[in-house]
Amino acid sequence: MEGKEEDVRLGANKFSERQPIGTAAQSDKDYKEPPPAPLFEPGELTSWSFYRAGIAEFMATFLFLYITILTVMGVVKSNSKCSTVGIQGIAWAFGGMIFALVYCTAGISGGHINPAVTFGLFLARKLSLTRALFYMVMQCLGAICGAGVVKGYQKGLYESNGGGANVVAPGYTKGDGLGAEIVGTFILVYTVFSATDAKRNARDSHVPILAPLPIGFAVFLVHLATIPITGTGINPARSLGAAIIYNKKHAWDDHWIFWVGPFIGAALAAIYHQIVIRAIPFKSRP
């Protein structure tokens, strides 16, 4: 018992009553903050790991579009939504695929599978501009191929049921759609930052293992809320792939919303997490 009392006394004296908050609390860290990624990193272009990561992003986005667009087609073709998985099933398909694919590719490319996620992480200096642009191109190509395969073996059904393209639903304005995409993407990218936070990873060993789960749930919940408004984009590659393969005028009328909204939402999430939540100072302390 004496030993335990000594431990308690030492613990009580080790930390003063007044603890620093905000940026002042970042001294004596018990974890190591990864250094900011360089803006340009030409050396990446000669590395196989760079291209392997791009291929992983392509394949993940391809599989993501393939499963999710097939699910959407299965729901919209039916006269009775009770005979299908319904909106909840569509939301589960999107969220479940993100959960599985982030788990599979996180160790290779980071498991972005979304240009908005890549953009938010780039703003936070988690990856270089070189890698960010490469990821976005590969994600868009994967999405186009995924939607193209779905159309390839059920063309009539695909073209007669909207092709899974994102549009602002009747009864909603373009402003409504833009707002839904901004907030929805903010939720997703904020979850990505929180689930992959270096501080949490260092202190909670289970966080890296569980990171895909909250990200998938965020996608699921956002889809439940915004499918009736925009069909839920929150992923410019997903919206672009479906629009290109479907290629009808109304699919392009509101297409800008599914780029502008997610990029604004991702930027706001990056700012909120880095400056407010993490309280990263603008100037380093002497």
Side-chain angles (χ1 to χ4, degrees), residues 187-261:
I187 293 169
L188 168 59
V189 178
Y190 175 42
T191 303
V192 170
F193 273 110
S194 298
T196 59
D197 193 307
K199 183 176 181 180
R200 297 184 64 205
N201 288 352
R203 298 178 183 179
D204 302 310
S205 60
H206 64 279
V207 168
I209 300 173
L210 295 180
L213 187 60
I215 296 170
F217 261 107
V219 172
F220 165 69
L221 294 171
V222 171
H223 274 75
L224 284 182
T226 59
I227 282 176
I229 305 173
T230 62
T232 309
I234 68 171
N235 184 333
R238 172 261 186 274
S239 301
L240 180 66
I244 286 178
I245 299 302
Y246 183 57
N247 200 28
K248 303 290 188 205
K249 181 181 181 299
H250 71 278
W252 292 109
D253 288 342
D254 302 326
H255 186 69
W256 64 271
I257 289 172
F258 302 101
W259 284 86
V260 175

Side-chain angles (χ1 to χ4, degrees), residues 11-21:
N13 294 333
K14 183 178 179 181
F15 300 101
S16 61
E17 278 187 40
R18 295 178 177 271
Q19 292 293 313
I21 60 174

Side-chain angles (χ1 to χ4, degrees), residues 14 16 35 39 60 69 84 109 128 152 167 175 196 227 237 244 258 263 276:
K14 183 178 179 181
S16 61
L39 184 60
I69 297 299
T84 69
S109 65
S128 67
V167 296
T196 59
I227 282 176
I244 286 178
F258 302 101
F263 273 55
V276 178

Side-chain angles (χ1 to χ4, degrees), residues 75 81 84-94 220 223-225 227-228:
V75 171
K81 297 297 183 286
T84 69
V85 295
I87 287 180
Q88 293 88 347
I90 294 174
W92 273 121
F94 279 88
F220 165 69
H223 274 75
L224 284 182
I227 282 176

Side-chain angles (χ1 to χ4, degrees), residues 24-232:
Q26 294 188 35
S27 59
D28 301 324
K29 293 178 180 177
D30 59 356
Y31 67 98
K32 185 176 181 181
E33 192 75 49
L39 184 60
F40 296 102
E41 196 167 1
E44 288 184 317
L45 300 177
T46 61
S47 169
W48 165 240
S49 64
F50 175 77
Y51 295 101
R52 183 182 64 176
I55 293 169
E57 287 293 309
F58 171 90
M59 184 56 67
T61 317
F62 168 83
L63 295 173
F64 178 60
L65 265 288
Y66 173 77
I67 293 297
T68 55
I69 297 299
L70 270 181
T71 305
V72 171
M73 293 297 97
V75 171
V76 298
K77 76 173 184 179
S78 177
N79 294 326
S80 171
K81 297 297 183 286
C82 294
S83 63
T84 69
V85 295
I87 287 180
Q88 293 88 347
I90 294 174
W92 273 121
F94 279 88
M97 280 304 289
I98 288 297
F99 166 66
L101 293 170
V102 170
Y103 177 82
C104 291
T105 60
I108 303 170
S109 65
H112 298 190
I113 322 171
N114 185 335
V117 171
T118 300
F119 180 66
L121 293 174
F122 164 70
L123 292 181
R125 302 292 302 278
K126 303 295 185 182
L127 73 166
S128 67
L129 178 61
T130 313
R131 186 174 291 262
L133 292 175
F134 183 50
Y135 278 14
M136 290 180 190
V137 170
M138 297 300 283
Q139 290 157 359
C140 289
L141 290 176
I144 293 167
C145 292
V149 169
V150 175
K151 182 179 178 179
Y153 62 83
Q154 50 179 24
K155 185 174 181 180
L157 175 65
Y158 185 89
E159 293 188 342
S160 63
N161 288 283
N166 290 119
V167 296
V168 178
Y172 293 95
T173 66
K174 294 183 187 298
D176 295 334
L178 182 63
E181 290 296 305
I182 290 173
V183 176
T185 312
F186 178 92
I187 293 169
L188 168 59
V189 178
Y190 175 42
T191 303
V192 170
F193 273 110
S194 298
T196 59
D197 193 307
K199 183 176 181 180
R200 297 184 64 205
N201 288 352
R203 298 178 183 179
D204 302 310
S205 60
H206 64 279
V207 168
I209 300 173
L210 295 180
L213 187 60
I215 296 170
F217 261 107
V219 172
F220 165 69
L221 294 171
V222 171
H223 274 75
L224 284 182
T226 59
I227 282 176
I229 305 173
T230 62
T232 309

